[in-house]
Amino acid sequence: MKILTCPVNGPRNISEFIYGGEYHPQPDPKQSSDREWAEYVFFHANTRGRVIEWWCHSATSVWFLAERDTGTDQVVRTFVAGNWPKDLDQSEELT
Amino acid sequence: MNSNVTRGALIERRSFIQHWHEQAGACFSAGTNCQLVQHYGHPKEESDACSELALADLSMIPRWGLKGRGAEAQLNSRGLRVPPNHGFAQSQDDTNLLCRLTPEEFLWLGISEAGLQDPQTHESVNNAWFLPRADSHCWFLLSGRQTPHMFSRICGIDMRPERFENTQVALSSVARLNAIVIRADVGGQLRFHLLADSSSADYLWHCLLDTMSEFGGKPVGLSAYGMIR
């Protein structure tokens, strides 16, 4: 069983988590075009390498972010949205 | 309309698994507007089982929660001893438990005899929201040195005493249900409180009985723990 570490509850079996999709910076809803908003809501980059993803610990409904390497499937770190690591650029997607 | 129903009368609370208790030959004791399982006909054996592996239904005992930025301050103002860190419980002077599930969410378990009284009405004020838990969650108690081995069959967390310390709280999956597990030893006896969605109480109770059978565990009434006489 794979283990993922919830930043609030600690390490738990991967079966307790729900994948929430890639993290994308939210465009300004008042300024963005329909195309930009559709890309934010629906489209994924499917990058190979380090990406930021939304995950949910279903037992507690805690949503958090995970930095994961999609090539090796290694989770580098997890954190809650309000505690964004200083060495990660929040404004751009990782590639 | 049923003429026997009196408008405004208190309806006696029943356990989520009342039918199972009755079929198992439970001897009931009157609680506050409810019936509590005293024993299943073998009080001495049940008392002995508590130190090995035993399961009791505490679902009729009051419990409530408080959530929000102001929750800690409000609990402090009530004179309760608040756990400093989330993921831990704090025993109160009367053996009731206050559990800190997350930094801003608390669960109060009225374990002591005094706690058998109905809780007073709680209002949601000052950024603290009252969470009624008596109907949302069933509440079971597991005890005895075999309990961690039993948990290893249905839960991913290592519950051995050296790995899961006393008063520690885990929110995890137990028998594929979202559950709260709290370790709260009494007199050196290993005890775990288990709370889960009340609509799955019957399923969970039978899962626990099935898992316990491998380790010789048995269901017990509250008199086995000295909670009622």
Side-chain angles (χ1 to χ4, degrees):
Chain A
M1 181 75 77
K2 288 182 180 177
I3 304 291
L4 185 60
T5 300
C6 168
V8 174
N9 295 287
R12 294 288 188 272
N13 284 346
I14 196 71
S15 59
E16 294 187 22
F17 294 91
I18 298 166
Y19 175 66
E22 295 173 358
Y23 166 80
H24 297 284
Q26 182 183 318
D28 183 346
K30 294 180 180 175
Q31 302 294 327
S32 62
S33 64
D34 288 348
R35 176 69 190 181
E36 288 172 329
W37 191 254
E39 286 198 5
Y40 166 64
V41 175
F42 299 112
F43 297 155
H44 291 193
N46 284 327
T47 307
R48 182 169 189 253
R50 288 194 177 187
V51 297
I52 304 291
E53 299 168 330
W54 284 107
W55 285 82
C56 176
H57 181 233
S58 59
T60 54
S61 301
V62 172
W63 280 94
F64 61 94
L65 293 153
E67 184 182 0
R68 185 173 71 94
D69 190 314
T70 55
T72 62
D73 197 24
Q74 295 294 309
V75 175
V76 180
R77 54 187 157 184
T78 57
F79 51 94
V80 292
N83 192 24
W84 194 277
K86 291 177 181 173
D87 60 323
L88 270 184
D89 187 350
Q90 193 171 353
S91 63
E92 297 180 10
E93 296 165 25
L94 293 183
T95 56
Chain B
M1 184 176 175
N2 188 340
S3 58
N4 293 326
V5 175
T6 305
R7 187 180 295 271
L10 283 175
I11 300 171
E12 187 171 85
R13 289 177 54 82
R14 291 163 58 91
S15 168
F16 305 111
I17 51 170
Q18 179 81 10
H19 64 285
W20 188 92
H21 293 319
E22 291 171 358
Q23 288 174 3
C27 176
F28 291 97
S29 173
T32 305
N33 198 36
C34 67
Q35 289 185 325
L36 301 163
V37 176
Q38 195 169 10
H39 56 74
Y40 295 100
H42 309 283
K44 175 67 170 65
E45 288 177 23
E46 292 173 28
S47 184
D48 293 343
C50 293
S51 58
E52 283 297 313
L53 182 56
L55 169 66
D57 177 20
L58 306 193
S59 295
M60 304 313 296
I61 298 178
R63 53 202 173 277
W64 47 264
L66 204 63
K67 186 176 186 176
R69 279 183 289 124
E72 183 173 6
Q74 191 171 134
L75 291 166
N76 277 321
S77 70
R78 290 167 190 249
L80 293 170
R81 296 158 63 198
V82 178
N85 300 314
H86 78 271
F88 285 90
Q90 175 74 56
S91 180
Q92 307 298 306
D93 294 336
D94 51 8
T95 73
N96 293 328
L97 273 181
L98 181 61
C99 313
R100 192 164 196 163
L101 306 181
T102 70
E104 297 179 351
E105 183 172 350
F106 296 85
L107 173 68
W108 183 87
L109 301 175
I111 296 165
S112 75
E113 199 165 4
L116 292 177
Q117 302 300 317
D118 281 337
Q120 63 191 54
T121 302
H122 299 276
E123 294 182 358
S124 300
V125 293
N126 299 328
N127 290 316
W129 287 268
F130 175 65
L131 305 170
R133 291 297 191 203
D135 294 317
S136 65
H137 286 67
C138 61
W139 177 10
F140 301 145
L141 172 63
L142 290 144
S143 73
R145 62 186 185 89
Q146 299 279 4
T147 316
H149 304 299
M150 190 221 70
F151 264 118
S152 71
R153 295 287 195 266
I154 53 174
C155 180
I157 296 178
D158 189 346
M159 296 291 183
R160 288 177 295 174
E162 66 272 23
R163 299 298 301 270
F164 193 78
E165 64 182 277
N166 193 19
T167 74
Q168 198 169 338
V169 176
L171 289 82
S172 185
S173 175
V174 175
R176 297 185 180 274
L177 290 177
N178 296 339
I180 303 167
V181 183
I182 303 143
R183 180 181 165 194
D185 297 356
V186 174
Q189 186 181 84
L190 204 53
R191 291 190 184 182
F192 294 89
H193 297 276
L194 173 61
L195 293 98
D197 186 348
S198 59
S199 62
S200 301
D202 188 70
Y203 159 80
L204 181 58
W205 180 262
H206 284 88
C207 274
L208 294 169
L209 290 176
D210 185 45
T211 315
M212 285 170 62
S213 63
E214 181 183 344
F215 303 96
K218 61 169 55 182
V220 301
L222 300 192
S223 63
Y225 294 107
M227 298 175 76
I228 54 174
R229 289 178 286 275

